[in-house]
Amino acid sequence: MGNIERNYGIAKETYAALGVDTDGALATLKHTPISVHCWQIDDVTGFEDFDAALTGGIAATGNAPGKPKTKGEFIEHLDRALNLIPGATKLSLHAIYLDDGGKKVARDAIEPSHFAFWVDYAKKREIGLDFNATYFSHPLSDSGFTLASGDAKVRAFWLEHGKRCRAIGEYFGRELGQKCVTNHWIIDGYKDFTVDKLAPRERLIASLDELFAKPLDSRHNVDAVESKLFGLGSESYVVGSHEFYTNYVAYKKNCIICLDAGHFHPTETVSAKLSSYLAFGQEVLLHVSRPVRWDSDHVVALDDETLAIMREIVGCGGLGRVYIGLDFFDASINRIAALAIGARNARKALLAALLTPFGALRSAEEGGDLTQRLALLEECKTMPMGFVWDYFCETENKPGADWYKGII
Ligand code: RNT
Ligand code: ZN
């Protein structure tokens, strides 16, 4: 027996003493998809133009060498990252990662055929696909407004883009037999004191109503709307705020909320919010990220909030109703490694959640023994999760703790 198996045996016994079934946890871990975003690989540049500037109030800071300069290079880097990520994986694409066959295709003219190569890629890798409309890095978003713009022509352009993205999402889902989550995040907002906060929100409601008017097969596609507190250049007012979209999804029921861990006030957490959506039977898309002082999109760490998010999902019975997606982009370190680190950490946090002795914790809480609840929660922190993780990587045929040696 190798070290990894022996260690797993020890961990299994240790967890069993707390009533935790490690084999069961690993089976769930393996089959719970994490949607790995493609845009960490190239600082959100995409395939429309390899020299394109990232606009829309988001920024990939850093100057690490090795950013891909061609589609081929991009895919090679992506492959290398995915080879390091154990467990069921989906790839989250943005509309700018299209195959335009060498001829410019306008955003309001994209079609499933421009993304057929991704379907082939996903089939080959046996992964699912998610999708994101790209309402930024474009001359028609330079005003700072898209779906909520006061200019009917601008609104119409982005509406057409969004509708086509939904059709592409549905195509992904149908082709792959796995539901695609199509996310819509818009940049709309003002830098400074805003007098009329209402009219843009009314326009956004009308736009979203039209965007989602056509029902799609819910087995293939679900749409999400992503709220945000502020962006660079929209510090004072964001049309699609948390309250706005929370009300939109509750009233209209034609899409679900996307909660990005970086899109709230610094002491406000997604982990604290999740149960409120689940209590109303809603589904939620997550953008797991790491905001350092602001919406900085640092690589996801195995930190308290990521652990807390996963524990909420598992503890609330939310697996299957919460779609776990990643969203970060750090250009200051090796981009392939960055994607692997963040994705592995998200999955490690999910493992920690699955190894939580909820039975014992619940009976302590329900029985009013809050001392035992705290004692147990703290003891959990030094349980041998690493042994279970190493075993998982091995059974998944993915590298263990020394994965980074081949990368840097
Ligand atoms: C921006 C949002 C959005 C983007 C991606 C690239 O603040 O988080 O999700 O990061 O669409
Ligand atoms: Zn996001």
Side-chain angles (χ1 to χ4, degrees), residues 302-327:
L302 189 59
D303 57 12
D304 285 351
E305 173 56 6
T306 309
L307 289 161
I309 287 173
M310 299 302 174
R311 188 176 274 175
E312 279 301 304
I313 300 175
V314 174
C316 293
L319 286 173
R321 280 198 291 152
V322 179
Y323 303 98
I324 306 169
L326 308 177
D327 183 12

PDB file of all heavy atoms in Angstrom, residues 302-327:
ATOM      1  N   LEU A 302      -7.661  29.196  -0.266  1.00  0.00           N
ATOM      2  CA  LEU A 302      -8.441  28.351   0.655  1.00  0.00           C
ATOM      3  C   LEU A 302      -8.654  29.167   1.929  1.00  0.00           C
ATOM      4  O   LEU A 302      -8.110  28.863   2.984  1.00  0.00           O
ATOM      5  CB  LEU A 302      -7.688  27.043   0.929  1.00  0.00           C
ATOM      6  CG  LEU A 302      -8.458  25.963   1.700  1.00  0.00           C
ATOM      7  CD1 LEU A 302      -9.721  25.546   0.976  1.00  0.00           C
ATOM      8  CD2 LEU A 302      -7.576  24.742   1.925  1.00  0.00           C
ATOM      9  N   ASP A 303      -9.415  30.234   1.780  1.00  0.00           N
ATOM     10  CA  ASP A 303      -9.573  31.174   2.895  1.00  0.00           C
ATOM     11  C   ASP A 303     -10.940  30.985   3.573  1.00  0.00           C
ATOM     12  O   ASP A 303     -11.768  30.192   3.137  1.00  0.00           O
ATOM     13  CB  ASP A 303      -9.369  32.622   2.423  1.00  0.00           C
ATOM     14  CG  ASP A 303     -10.319  32.999   1.281  1.00  0.00           C
ATOM     15  OD1 ASP A 303     -11.279  32.243   1.005  1.00  0.00           O
ATOM     16  OD2 ASP A 303     -10.090  34.046   0.663  1.00  0.00           O
ATOM     17  N   ASP A 304     -11.121  31.740   4.635  1.00  0.00           N
ATOM     18  CA  ASP A 304     -12.336  31.550   5.445  1.00  0.00           C
ATOM     19  C   ASP A 304     -13.617  31.695   4.631  1.00  0.00           C
ATOM     20  O   ASP A 304     -14.549  30.925   4.778  1.00  0.00           O
ATOM     21  CB  ASP A 304     -12.360  32.560   6.605  1.00  0.00           C
ATOM     22  CG  ASP A 304     -11.376  32.159   7.697  1.00  0.00           C
ATOM     23  OD1 ASP A 304     -10.838  31.037   7.624  1.00  0.00           O
ATOM     24  OD2 ASP A 304     -11.130  32.976   8.603  1.00  0.00           O
ATOM     25  N   GLU A 305     -13.656  32.711   3.768  1.00  0.00           N
ATOM     26  CA  GLU A 305     -14.911  32.951   3.055  1.00  0.00           C
ATOM     27  C   GLU A 305     -15.182  31.866   2.014  1.00  0.00           C
ATOM     28  O   GLU A 305     -16.330  31.434   1.852  1.00  0.00           O
ATOM     29  CB  GLU A 305     -14.906  34.352   2.429  1.00  0.00           C
ATOM     30  CG  GLU A 305     -16.086  34.674   1.519  1.00  0.00           C
ATOM     31  CD  GLU A 305     -17.489  34.520   2.152  1.00  0.00           C
ATOM     32  OE1 GLU A 305     -17.612  34.254   3.367  1.00  0.00           O
ATOM     33  OE2 GLU A 305     -18.477  34.639   1.393  1.00  0.00           O
ATOM     34  N   THR A 306     -14.143  31.405   1.335  1.00  0.00           N
ATOM     35  CA  THR A 306     -14.379  30.326   0.354  1.00  0.00           C
ATOM     36  C   THR A 306     -14.855  29.073   1.082  1.00  0.00           C
ATOM     37  O   THR A 306     -15.793  28.392   0.637  1.00  0.00           O
ATOM     38  CB  THR A 306     -13.096  30.057  -0.452  1.00  0.00           C
ATOM     39  OG1 THR A 306     -12.622  31.317  -0.956  1.00  0.00           O
ATOM     40  CG2 THR A 306     -13.345  29.125  -1.613  1.00  0.00           C
ATOM     41  N   LEU A 307     -14.242  28.775   2.215  1.00  0.00           N
ATOM     42  CA  LEU A 307     -14.689  27.636   3.022  1.00  0.00           C
ATOM     43  C   LEU A 307     -16.131  27.833   3.491  1.00  0.00           C
ATOM     44  O   LEU A 307     -16.956  26.907   3.446  1.00  0.00           O
ATOM     45  CB  LEU A 307     -13.772  27.459   4.238  1.00  0.00           C
ATOM     46  CG  LEU A 307     -12.351  26.939   3.925  1.00  0.00           C
ATOM     47  CD1 LEU A 307     -11.399  27.231   5.076  1.00  0.00           C
ATOM     48  CD2 LEU A 307     -12.365  25.439   3.623  1.00  0.00           C
ATOM     49  N   ALA A 308     -16.430  29.048   3.897  1.00  0.00           N
ATOM     50  CA  ALA A 308     -17.785  29.325   4.408  1.00  0.00           C
ATOM     51  C   ALA A 308     -18.828  29.202   3.302  1.00  0.00           C
ATOM     52  O   ALA A 308     -19.940  28.697   3.520  1.00  0.00           O
ATOM     53  CB  ALA A 308     -17.838  30.716   5.033  1.00  0.00           C
ATOM     54  N   ILE A 309     -18.487  29.653   2.105  1.00  0.00           N
ATOM     55  CA  ILE A 309     -19.427  29.550   0.973  1.00  0.00           C
ATOM     56  C   ILE A 309     -19.754  28.083   0.718  1.00  0.00           C
ATOM     57  O   ILE A 309     -20.920  27.683   0.611  1.00  0.00           O
ATOM     58  CB  ILE A 309     -18.818  30.198  -0.301  1.00  0.00           C
ATOM     59  CG1 ILE A 309     -18.816  31.731  -0.176  1.00  0.00           C
ATOM     60  CG2 ILE A 309     -19.590  29.769  -1.550  1.00  0.00           C
ATOM     61  CD1 ILE A 309     -18.096  32.457  -1.300  1.00  0.00           C
ATOM     62  N   MET A 310     -18.721  27.265   0.638  1.00  0.00           N
ATOM     63  CA  MET A 310     -18.954  25.846   0.322  1.00  0.00           C
ATOM     64  C   MET A 310     -19.712  25.168   1.461  1.00  0.00           C
ATOM     65  O   MET A 310     -20.580  24.325   1.230  1.00  0.00           O
ATOM     66  CB  MET A 310     -17.625  25.133   0.065  1.00  0.00           C
ATOM     67  CG  MET A 310     -16.839  25.700  -1.104  1.00  0.00           C
ATOM     68  SD  MET A 310     -17.760  25.655  -2.663  1.00  0.00           S
ATOM     69  CE  MET A 310     -16.621  26.561  -3.718  1.00  0.00           C
ATOM     70  N   ARG A 311     -19.393  25.555   2.672  1.00  0.00           N
ATOM     71  CA  ARG A 311     -20.096  24.935   3.812  1.00  0.00           C
ATOM     72  C   ARG A 311     -21.580  25.301   3.783  1.00  0.00           C
ATOM     73  O   ARG A 311     -22.434  24.488   4.119  1.00  0.00           O
ATOM     74  CB  ARG A 311     -19.450  25.375   5.126  1.00  0.00           C
ATOM     75  CG  ARG A 311     -19.984  24.629   6.314  1.00  0.00           C
ATOM     76  CD  ARG A 311     -19.279  24.978   7.593  1.00  0.00           C
ATOM     77  NE  ARG A 311     -18.083  24.179   7.803  1.00  0.00           N
ATOM     78  CZ  ARG A 311     -17.225  24.358   8.816  1.00  0.00           C
ATOM     79  NH1 ARG A 311     -17.426  25.329   9.676  1.00  0.00           N
ATOM     80  NH2 ARG A 311     -16.174  23.590   8.947  1.00  0.00           N
ATOM     81  N   GLU A 312     -21.872  26.501   3.376  1.00  0.00           N
ATOM     82  CA  GLU A 312     -23.283  26.896   3.261  1.00  0.00           C
ATOM     83  C   GLU A 312     -23.995  26.079   2.197  1.00  0.00           C
ATOM     84  O   GLU A 312     -25.119  25.627   2.397  1.00  0.00           O
ATOM     85  CB  GLU A 312     -23.392  28.390   2.915  1.00  0.00           C
ATOM     86  CG  GLU A 312     -23.246  29.307   4.091  1.00  0.00           C
ATOM     87  CD  GLU A 312     -24.285  29.041   5.157  1.00  0.00           C
ATOM     88  OE1 GLU A 312     -25.505  29.081   4.865  1.00  0.00           O
ATOM     89  OE2 GLU A 312     -23.875  28.762   6.308  1.00  0.00           O
ATOM     90  N   ILE A 313     -23.335  25.905   1.061  1.00  0.00           N
ATOM     91  CA  ILE A 313     -23.974  25.146  -0.029  1.00  0.00           C
ATOM     92  C   ILE A 313     -24.302  23.744   0.467  1.00  0.00           C
ATOM     93  O   ILE A 313     -25.432  23.261   0.331  1.00  0.00           O
ATOM     94  CB  ILE A 313     -23.043  25.048  -1.260  1.00  0.00           C
ATOM     95  CG1 ILE A 313     -22.706  26.437  -1.797  1.00  0.00           C
ATOM     96  CG2 ILE A 313     -23.694  24.207  -2.361  1.00  0.00           C
ATOM     97  CD1 ILE A 313     -21.691  26.430  -2.932  1.00  0.00           C
ATOM     98  N   VAL A 314     -23.304  23.092   1.047  1.00  0.00           N
ATOM     99  CA  VAL A 314     -23.502  21.707   1.488  1.00  0.00           C
ATOM    100  C   VAL A 314     -24.495  21.664   2.654  1.00  0.00           C
ATOM    101  O   VAL A 314     -25.442  20.875   2.662  1.00  0.00           O
ATOM    102  CB  VAL A 314     -22.148  21.064   1.872  1.00  0.00           C
ATOM    103  CG1 VAL A 314     -22.359  19.674   2.462  1.00  0.00           C
ATOM    104  CG2 VAL A 314     -21.235  20.984   0.648  1.00  0.00           C
ATOM    105  N   GLY A 315     -24.292  22.532   3.629  1.00  0.00           N
ATOM    106  CA  GLY A 315     -25.137  22.531   4.828  1.00  0.00           C
ATOM    107  C   GLY A 315     -26.594  22.827   4.516  1.00  0.00           C
ATOM    108  O   GLY A 315     -27.500  22.324   5.181  1.00  0.00           O
ATOM    109  N   CYS A 316     -26.843  23.644   3.489  1.00  0.00           N
ATOM    110  CA  CYS A 316     -28.223  23.989   3.126  1.00  0.00           C
ATOM    111  C   CYS A 316     -28.808  22.984   2.152  1.00  0.00           C
ATOM    112  O   CYS A 316     -29.917  23.204   1.639  1.00  0.00           O
ATOM    113  CB  CYS A 316     -28.281  25.367   2.474  1.00  0.00           C
ATOM    114  SG  CYS A 316     -27.876  26.719   3.564  1.00  0.00           S
ATOM    115  N   GLY A 317     -28.059  21.941   1.831  1.00  0.00           N
ATOM    116  CA  GLY A 317     -28.553  21.000   0.824  1.00  0.00           C
ATOM    117  C   GLY A 317     -28.650  21.675  -0.539  1.00  0.00           C
ATOM    118  O   GLY A 317     -29.518  21.362  -1.342  1.00  0.00           O
ATOM    119  N   GLY A 318     -27.752  22.603  -0.799  1.00  0.00           N
ATOM    120  CA  GLY A 318     -27.836  23.410  -2.024  1.00  0.00           C
ATOM    121  C   GLY A 318     -27.060  22.863  -3.210  1.00  0.00           C
ATOM    122  O   GLY A 318     -27.072  23.475  -4.282  1.00  0.00           O
ATOM    123  N   LEU A 319     -26.404  21.722  -3.033  1.00  0.00           N
ATOM    124  CA  LEU A 319     -25.676  21.154  -4.181  1.00  0.00           C
ATOM    125  C   LEU A 319     -26.686  20.837  -5.259  1.00  0.00           C
ATOM    126  O   LEU A 319     -27.712  20.220  -4.996  1.00  0.00           O
ATOM    127  CB  LEU A 319     -24.940  19.874  -3.770  1.00  0.00           C
ATOM    128  CG  LEU A 319     -23.676  20.047  -2.920  1.00  0.00           C
ATOM    129  CD1 LEU A 319     -23.170  18.692  -2.452  1.00  0.00           C
ATOM    130  CD2 LEU A 319     -22.595  20.787  -3.692  1.00  0.00           C
ATOM    131  N   GLY A 320     -26.411  21.244  -6.469  1.00  0.00           N
ATOM    132  CA  GLY A 320     -27.381  21.018  -7.548  1.00  0.00           C
ATOM    133  C   GLY A 320     -28.248  22.250  -7.776  1.00  0.00           C
ATOM    134  O   GLY A 320     -28.786  22.448  -8.855  1.00  0.00           O
ATOM    135  N   ARG A 321     -28.373  23.094  -6.771  1.00  0.00           N
ATOM    136  CA  ARG A 321     -29.144  24.337  -6.957  1.00  0.00           C
ATOM    137  C   ARG A 321     -28.224  25.548  -6.998  1.00  0.00           C
ATOM    138  O   ARG A 321     -28.602  26.635  -7.432  1.00  0.00           O
ATOM    139  CB  ARG A 321     -30.141  24.513  -5.813  1.00  0.00           C
ATOM    140  CG  ARG A 321     -31.381  23.664  -6.013  1.00  0.00           C
ATOM    141  CD  ARG A 321     -32.496  24.159  -5.151  1.00  0.00           C
ATOM    142  NE  ARG A 321     -32.238  23.919  -3.742  1.00  0.00           N
ATOM    143  CZ  ARG A 321     -32.718  24.672  -2.741  1.00  0.00           C
ATOM    144  NH1 ARG A 321     -33.438  25.724  -3.002  1.00  0.00           N
ATOM    145  NH2 ARG A 321     -32.461  24.364  -1.492  1.00  0.00           N
ATOM    146  N   VAL A 322     -27.006  25.355  -6.496  1.00  0.00           N
ATOM    147  CA  VAL A 322     -26.011  26.428  -6.558  1.00  0.00           C
ATOM    148  C   VAL A 322     -24.964  26.019  -7.585  1.00  0.00           C
ATOM    149  O   VAL A 322     -24.328  24.977  -7.452  1.00  0.00           O
ATOM    150  CB  VAL A 322     -25.343  26.651  -5.184  1.00  0.00           C
ATOM    151  CG1 VAL A 322     -24.289  27.752  -5.289  1.00  0.00           C
ATOM    152  CG2 VAL A 322     -26.383  27.007  -4.132  1.00  0.00           C
ATOM    153  N   TYR A 323     -24.850  26.811  -8.622  1.00  0.00           N
ATOM    154  CA  TYR A 323     -23.858  26.527  -9.660  1.00  0.00           C
ATOM    155  C   TYR A 323     -22.561  27.226  -9.258  1.00  0.00           C
ATOM    156  O   TYR A 323     -22.537  28.449  -9.087  1.00  0.00           O
ATOM    157  CB  TYR A 323     -24.336  27.050 -11.009  1.00  0.00           C
ATOM    158  CG  TYR A 323     -25.676  26.483 -11.435  1.00  0.00           C
ATOM    159  CD1 TYR A 323     -26.852  27.197 -11.242  1.00  0.00           C
ATOM    160  CD2 TYR A 323     -25.768  25.214 -12.009  1.00  0.00           C
ATOM    161  CE1 TYR A 323     -28.084  26.675 -11.627  1.00  0.00           C
ATOM    162  CE2 TYR A 323     -26.991  24.679 -12.390  1.00  0.00           C
ATOM    163  CZ  TYR A 323     -28.138  25.418 -12.188  1.00  0.00           C
ATOM    164  OH  TYR A 323     -29.367  24.900 -12.561  1.00  0.00           O
ATOM    165  N   ILE A 324     -21.526  26.423  -9.087  1.00  0.00           N
ATOM    166  CA  ILE A 324     -20.264  26.998  -8.601  1.00  0.00           C
ATOM    167  C   ILE A 324     -19.385  27.388  -9.784  1.00  0.00           C
ATOM    168  O   ILE A 324     -18.941  26.529 -10.552  1.00  0.00           O
ATOM    169  CB  ILE A 324     -19.514  25.986  -7.705  1.00  0.00           C
ATOM    170  CG1 ILE A 324     -20.411  25.496  -6.566  1.00  0.00           C
ATOM    171  CG2 ILE A 324     -18.223  26.609  -7.173  1.00  0.00           C
ATOM    172  CD1 ILE A 324     -19.830  24.313  -5.797  1.00  0.00           C
ATOM    173  N   GLY A 325     -19.167  28.672  -9.929  1.00  0.00           N
ATOM    174  CA  GLY A 325     -18.292  29.163 -10.996  1.00  0.00           C
ATOM    175  C   GLY A 325     -17.171  29.990 -10.405  1.00  0.00           C
ATOM    176  O   GLY A 325     -17.293  30.516  -9.293  1.00  0.00           O
ATOM    177  N   LEU A 326     -16.089  30.103 -11.130  1.00  0.00           N
ATOM    178  CA  LEU A 326     -14.930  30.872 -10.660  1.00  0.00           C
ATOM    179  C   LEU A 326     -14.820  32.160 -11.469  1.00  0.00           C
ATOM    180  O   LEU A 326     -15.211  32.207 -12.635  1.00  0.00           O
ATOM    181  CB  LEU A 326     -13.648  30.055 -10.832  1.00  0.00           C
ATOM    182  CG  LEU A 326     -13.653  28.642 -10.252  1.00  0.00           C
ATOM    183  CD1 LEU A 326     -12.334  27.936 -10.575  1.00  0.00           C
ATOM    184  CD2 LEU A 326     -13.868  28.709  -8.736  1.00  0.00           C
ATOM    185  N   ASP A 327     -14.283  33.183 -10.847  1.00  0.00           N
ATOM    186  CA  ASP A 327     -14.059  34.446 -11.558  1.00  0.00           C
ATOM    187  C   ASP A 327     -12.909  35.191 -10.909  1.00  0.00           C
ATOM    188  O   ASP A 327     -13.088  35.842  -9.877  1.00  0.00           O
ATOM    189  CB  ASP A 327     -15.340  35.297 -11.536  1.00  0.00           C
ATOM    190  CG  ASP A 327     -15.164  36.592 -12.321  1.00  0.00           C
ATOM    191  OD1 ASP A 327     -14.156  36.721 -13.053  1.00  0.00           O
ATOM    192  OD2 ASP A 327     -16.018  37.487 -12.180  1.00  0.00           O
TER     193      ASP A 327
END
